[in-house]
Amino acid sequence: MKLHKKLVFCLLLLFVFTNKQVEASHDPTSRGARSSALGGSSVAISDFWGVFNNSAVNAYTRKISVGAYFENRYLLKELSYRGLGLIIPVAEKDAFGLSVQQFGYSQYLESKVGLSYSKKFSESFAAGLQFDYLNTSIGEGLGSKNLFTFEFGLYSKFSKKLSVGFTAFNPARVKLNSYNDYNEYVSIVFKLGAKYDFSDNLSLITEVEKDILNSPILRIGLDYKLSEMFYVRGGLSTGVVSYSFGMGMKVKDFKFDIATSVHQVLGASPQVSLQYTF
C-alpha cells in the first residue's frame, strides 16, 4: 500500500510541476545513459542512440549495431523505461533502424515500436523518417489503445567543430481518446540542438525542447574524454530543474554508459545502457 501511495504521489507531482496543459504520454524523452548524463541533450549527437533520439544520424553508422537501455525513474520500478535498438546500414549512405520501448508496469504500460529510414545526402547533412506504433494498456480490464504516428529528424555538420540536429515527434497530432467534449492527444514535441567540440576531448551539447502546450525546456551538458576508454559527463535541464552526471567506457566493440539524473522534487533516476557494434 505504501508503494502505491508513493506512486500516486509522484504522478501527482509530475502533473503539477511539469505540465501546464496535459496531453497523452509517449513523450520522446532522450534515451541512452550518455544523453541522460548530458541533461537529456540528444538530437545533435551522432552516435548509436540516434535510433531512439534522432533517426537522421543513423545514416552515419556503417556497421550493424545493437543496444539496450534501462532507466529506473525516481527509483520506482513501476515508472521504469526499457528499450532495445538495432541499426542496419545499407548501400553507402542509407540505414534502417528499429527501436522497441516500454514504460510502466502491468497496470499501466506504454509501448512504442519505431521503424526508421535514414539517408546521408553528403558528409555534412542527413535526414531520417520514422514510423511509430504506439500502444497504451491499462490493467483491471480497462482495455488498451493502438495508434500510428511518425517523426522525422535532420542532422548537419556545419564544420569540424559544430553540428546541429532537429527532430519533430507526432507533427500530425494523433488523437488518443475522446471523453465527451474532451479530446486527449499524443504530444507534439520539437527539439533543436547543437554540439560544439572545443577539442578532441571536450564537447558542449545544448538543446531546446518545445512541447506545443508547454514552455520550452533548455538542456545543456559537457562530455569529457579522459582517455580512449573512459568518459565523464554532466548536465542540467530547466523547467523543474534537474541535474545529471555519468560516465562511459569503451572496450573494443562494446560501449557501456551509466548516468543518474536528479529531479529537485522527485529524486534520482539511474540509467544504464549498453551498445555493441559488429
Side-chain angles (χ1 to χ4, degrees), residues 22-247:
V22 178
E23 291 203 347
S25 294
H26 294 291
D27 66 291
T29 305
S30 64
R31 309 301 183 204
R34 181 187 182 187
S35 294
S36 179
L38 296 169
S41 301
S42 62
V43 299
I45 301 175
S46 179
D47 65 2
F48 166 81
W49 300 103
V51 73
F52 297 102
N53 302 325
N54 182 357
S55 60
V57 305
N58 297 349
Y60 291 91
T61 298
R62 303 322 308 156
K63 296 181 179 180
I64 296 175
S65 302
V66 296
Y69 73 87
F70 177 80
E71 178 183 356
N72 189 5
R73 183 66 60 90
Y74 311 128
L75 300 177
L76 288 170
K77 64 179 182 180
E78 289 84 359
L79 299 182
S80 65
Y81 289 83
R82 54 270 183 194
L84 294 169
L86 168 68
I87 299 176
I88 302 177
V90 293
E92 296 181 358
K93 298 181 179 180
D94 306 339
F96 287 102
L98 175 66
S99 59
V100 181
Q101 310 177 56
Q102 282 192 331
F103 163 76
Y105 70 122
S106 60
Q107 298 304 303
Y108 181 84
L109 185 65
E110 293 181 1
S111 301
K112 176 184 178 182
V113 179
L115 179 62
S116 64
Y117 170 72
S118 311
K119 185 172 185 62
K120 183 170 63 174
F121 294 93
S122 68
E123 287 303 317
S124 60
F125 180 74
L129 177 65
Q130 178 168 310
F131 295 97
D132 296 324
Y133 163 76
L134 310 177
N135 173 268
T136 301
S137 178
I138 302 176
E140 304 297 335
L142 296 179
S144 64
K145 180 75 173 182
N146 301 314
L147 295 171
F148 292 93
T149 187
F150 73 96
E151 55 190 284
F152 67 87
L154 303 172
Y155 177 80
S156 179
K157 296 180 180 179
F158 280 90
S159 67
K160 291 183 178 180
K161 292 182 176 291
L162 177 65
S163 58
V164 174
F166 171 82
T167 60
F169 173 74
N170 187 40
R173 202 188 186 202
V174 173
K175 183 166 64 176
L176 180 62
N177 272 314
S178 296
Y179 307 97
N180 296 323
D181 295 329
Y182 174 76
N183 294 321
E184 185 181 15
Y185 295 91
V186 177
S187 299
I188 300 176
V189 180
F190 300 100
K191 295 182 181 181
L192 177 64
K195 175 176 176 286
Y196 186 80
D197 298 322
F198 291 103
S199 68
D200 292 338
N201 296 329
L202 180 64
S203 298
L204 171 69
I205 302 96
T206 63
E207 183 173 299
V208 177
E209 176 184 315
K210 181 66 175 75
D211 182 313
I212 63 167
L213 294 182
N214 298 313
S215 300
I217 296 174
L218 174 64
R219 309 181 189 281
I220 186 169
L222 286 172
D223 195 340
Y224 183 70
K225 180 180 177 182
L226 291 173
S227 66
E228 292 300 321
M229 183 178 293
F230 294 105
Y231 299 78
V232 292
R233 304 167 180 125
L236 61 87
S237 175
T238 64
V240 178
V241 178
S242 63
Y243 306 92
S244 57
F245 55 91
M247 64 175 295

